[in-house]
Amino acid sequence: VAWHPAGDCVTIARVSGHHGEFGELGVYDLEGRALMDVEQFGLFHPEYVCRATSFDAAGRVLLCADGNRIHLLDTGSWEESHSIEASVHWWRYLDARSAVSYDGQRYSVWHVPSMTQVSTMDAPGLSDPVLSPDGRWIAASARDHVEVRGVRR
């Protein structure tokens, strides 16, 4: 779940099925009304499973990650503007220039304008990552404890 920076809508990515083979993306206003037609983007196609979603800092771009590719959607038209190959299961924008992702084995810091990874740190076996409000720390659960890591931009 990710809020639009203006606070007027929320996006939800869901994975379902016994093996996580199905996924969907929804964008909803505060009354729960759908703001985009998810079928126009083919998000119910078996090969596309939306695992992570996040709005950029300006609210102009909605990122959807399916585990193999990152899809960037223009929030004015909900059309895909760009797509790159990357294994991402969780993503959060830090600001207009940087973001952090997790692929199940490592965290990566990204340069947003070029959509390139600038650093990575190994973190196998962690789940449910959460970014601190100031964007400086990531906390994630491990089997019997919580790990907190600093984010280097």
Side-chain angles (χ1 to χ4, degrees), residues 41-56:
F41 190 58
L43 297 178
F44 293 106
H45 191 280
E47 293 177 12
Y48 187 95
V49 177
C50 190
R51 297 185 182 281
T53 182
S54 185
F55 287 100
D56 74 336

Side-chain angles (χ1 to χ4, degrees), residues 104-151:
Q105 296 295 314
R106 71 194 56 78
Y107 288 106
S108 297
V109 175
W110 293 74
H111 177 252
V112 169
S114 65
M115 288 303 287
T116 57
Q117 292 180 0
V118 294
S119 67
T120 62
M121 61 182 141
D122 288 337
L126 300 180
S127 62
D128 305 316
V130 178
L131 190 64
S132 67
D134 63 6
R136 294 179 35 211
W137 304 94
I138 297 172
S141 62
R143 181 172 287 163
D144 59 356
H145 65 284
V146 170
E147 283 199 30
V148 178
R149 306 258 180 119
V151 174

Side-chain angles (χ1 to χ4, degrees), residues 63-78:
L63 174 136
C64 263
D66 64 15
N68 297 312
R69 295 193 72 74
I70 293 173
H71 304 271
L72 302 175
L73 307 178
D74 178 285
T75 58
S77 64
W78 303 116

Side-chain angles (χ1 to χ4, degrees), residues 7-115:
D8 58 356
C9 67
V10 64
T11 179
I12 299 170
R14 291 181 212 141
V15 177
S16 61
H18 293 324
H19 305 288
E21 67 270 26
F22 301 107
E24 65 181 276
L25 170 71
V27 180
Y28 303 92
D29 68 13
L30 299 180
E31 303 294 320
R33 291 182 297 255
L35 298 178
M36 70 176 283
D37 177 6
V38 293
E39 291 182 3
Q40 81 182 27
F41 190 58
L43 297 178
F44 293 106
H45 191 280
E47 293 177 12
Y48 187 95
V49 177
C50 190
R51 297 185 182 281
T53 182
S54 185
F55 287 100
D56 74 336
R60 293 187 197 114
V61 174
L62 173 60
L63 174 136
C64 263
D66 64 15
N68 297 312
R69 295 193 72 74
I70 293 173
H71 304 271
L72 302 175
L73 307 178
D74 178 285
T75 58
S77 64
W78 303 116
E79 297 291 325
E80 183 175 278
S81 60
H82 189 62
S83 166
I84 64 166
E85 190 171 324
S87 177
V88 170
H89 296 224
W90 177 86
W91 177 284
R92 286 296 176 263
Y93 287 95
L94 299 173
D95 52 37
R97 300 188 51 77
S98 55
V100 64
S101 69
Y102 185 62
D103 67 3
Q105 296 295 314
R106 71 194 56 78
Y107 288 106
S108 297
V109 175
W110 293 74
H111 177 252
V112 169
S114 65
M115 288 303 287

